[in-house]
C-alpha cells in the first residue's frame, strides 16, 4: 500500500534591508528667472542658476522650466501658479557629481516667491537613488536684470 506524504514548504520573502543615507547639502543659488510675460495658463517660462557652497566655491548649475497652470486674484496683481521641473547639476567640492531632479509648484505675484519647496524625484551618478526634498529661500532684493540670491537646502535620502 502506498502512503501519501504531503509536504508544505513555506517561503518567506523578507526584503533585503537596503541602507539609507540621509544628508543635508546647503548651497547658494544665484538665479536668473524669466518670469512669464503673459499670465495665461499654458504659458512657459524658465530659469537658470549658478550654484555655490556657502563659502563661495562653485558647486554646479540649475536649469528649469515651468508651465503656468492657474491665474487667480485681482486683475491688477494676479497670482500665478506654475508647475516646474528643475534639474540641479552638482559638482561638489567633496568630489561628488551628478544631477538631482526636482519638481515644484511655484506661486508668483510681482516677482519670485520668497520660498520654494521641491520634491526630489531622483538623480544621476552619485545622486542616482536620491529622494527627499529641498527648499530655496530668497535672500536678496529682486532687481530687474540682476540675479536673485537664494539659500538652497537639499535634504537627501539616498538608498544604497
Amino acid at each position: 500500500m502506498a502512503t501519501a506524504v504531503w509536504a508544505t514548504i513555506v517561503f518567506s520573502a523578507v526584503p533585503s534591508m537596503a541602507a539609507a543615507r540621509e544628508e543635508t547639502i546647503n548651497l547658494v543659488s544665484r538665479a536668473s528667472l524669466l518670469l512669464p510675460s503673459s499670465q495665461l495658463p499654458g504659458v512657459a517660462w524658465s530659469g537658470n542658476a549658478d550654484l555655490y557652497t556657502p563659502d563661495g566655491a562653485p558647486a554646479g548649475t540649475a536649469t528649469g522650466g515651468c508651465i503656468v497652470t492657474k491665474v487667480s486674484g485681482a486683475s491688477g496683481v494676479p497670482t500665478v501658479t506654475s508647475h516646474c521641473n528643475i534639474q540641479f547639476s552638482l559638482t561638489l567640492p567633496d568630489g561628488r557629481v551628478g544631477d538631482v531632479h526636482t519638481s515644484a509648484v511655484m506661486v508668483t505675484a510681482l516677482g519670485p516667491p520668497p520660498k520654494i519647496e521641491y520634491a526630489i524625484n531622483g538623480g544621476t551618478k552619485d545622486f542616482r537613488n536620491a529622494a527627499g526634498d529641498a527648499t530655496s529661500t530668497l535672500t536678496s532684493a529682486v532687481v530687474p536684470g540682476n540675479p536673485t540670491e537664494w539659500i538652497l537646502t537639499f535634504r537627501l535620502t539616498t538608498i544604497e
Side-chain angles (χ1 to χ4, degrees), residues 8-136:
T8 302
I9 301 173
V10 178
F11 291 97
S12 176
V14 177
S16 66
M17 298 300 288
R21 181 173 46 104
E22 294 185 13
E23 70 175 308
T24 299
I25 299 173
N26 292 305
L27 298 174
V28 175
S29 167
R30 292 191 185 104
S32 298
L33 300 175
L34 301 172
L35 294 173
S37 57
S38 173
Q39 297 165 337
L40 297 171
V43 170
W45 59 283
S46 64
N48 61 71
D50 292 320
L51 304 175
Y52 302 90
T53 64
D55 64 0
T61 60
T63 59
C66 303
I67 300 290
V68 173
T69 57
K70 179 181 175 185
V71 179
S72 59
S75 60
V77 184
T79 300
V80 178
T81 303
S82 301
H83 178 264
C84 304
N85 291 310
I86 301 96
Q87 176 181 317
F88 295 90
S89 294
L90 303 180
T91 305
L92 300 180
D94 65 9
R96 290 182 295 161
V97 297
D99 297 338
V100 174
H101 298 264
T102 69
S103 61
V105 174
M106 287 190 207
V107 179
T108 58
L110 296 176
K115 187 174 186 177
I116 303 167
E117 295 182 359
Y118 309 84
I120 296 175
N121 304 324
T124 66
K125 299 180 183 170
D126 292 325
F127 304 100
R128 181 172 55 93
N129 294 321
D133 61 61
T135 304
S136 286

Side-chain angles (χ1 to χ4, degrees), residues 31 112 140-148:
S140 69
V142 177
V143 177
N146 290 340
T148 52

